[in-house]
Amino acid sequence: MAITLVNPTGLPETDIYHQVSVATGSKLVFIAGQVAWDTDGGTVGEGDLAAQVERCYLNVGTALAGVGGSFADVAKLTVYVVDWTPAKMPQFLDGVARASAKLGITPVSPGTLIGVAALDVPEHLVEVEATAVLD
């Protein structure tokens, strides 16, 4: 594996993600922001944040698999959520948990969650992009 996840002493440990990833691989993979589209380009889970988060993570997993990778290779995730408030955290975590169960993973790479006013189309509530490193 090209990624080692670390929680350095002096930074808070969270049970959601690690604070640092160390990459030793040679192939950088940048995955465009994934929205809640199915394979036909239709929006999944309109109005349902958890369903859209789940689909975004599944789409990231599909993109990773398409280049020979997996969530174990992810160095960083960036998540954009429309009209974010902390009250949405349970829905967000539910979507991550559902995707994790389907993928058989625990996505704990460093991540940033950013609240935004809107995404590409009004139906999309979340977008997830990833940077991975492969050997």
Side-chain angles (χ1 to χ4, degrees):
M1 250 185 299
I3 300 292
T4 302
L5 300 175
V6 180
N7 276 319
T9 302
L11 293 177
E13 276 196 44
T14 70
D15 53 353
I16 299 173
Y17 66 92
H18 285 79
Q19 297 283 4
V20 176
S21 65
V22 179
T24 57
S26 58
K27 183 195 274 185
L28 287 174
V29 178
F30 300 94
I31 297 175
Q34 297 298 303
V35 293
W37 278 334
D38 61 20
T39 56
D40 297 321
T43 298
V44 172
E46 191 169 332
D48 183 342
L49 179 61
Q52 289 200 14
V53 168
E54 176 184 4
R55 186 58 193 217
C56 290
Y57 274 75
L58 294 175
N59 288 349
V60 168
T62 298
L64 288 163
V67 295
S70 72
F71 267 91
D73 301 305
V74 172
K76 177 143 187 336
L77 290 171
T78 304
V79 179
Y80 304 91
V81 181
V82 174
D83 297 327
W84 175 257
T85 67
K88 292 183 179 182
M89 186 60 83
Q91 296 170 352
F92 175 78
L93 293 176
D94 181 42
V96 172
R98 290 172 9 193
S100 296
K102 286 183 179 175
L103 293 166
I105 55 110
T106 302
V108 292
S109 28
T112 300
L113 191 153
I114 301 168
V116 296
L119 292 171
D120 59 334
V121 296
E123 295 82 20
H124 292 159
L125 304 175
V126 63
E127 184 169 330
V128 179
E129 65 182 26
T131 302
V133 181
L134 306 179
D135 287 322

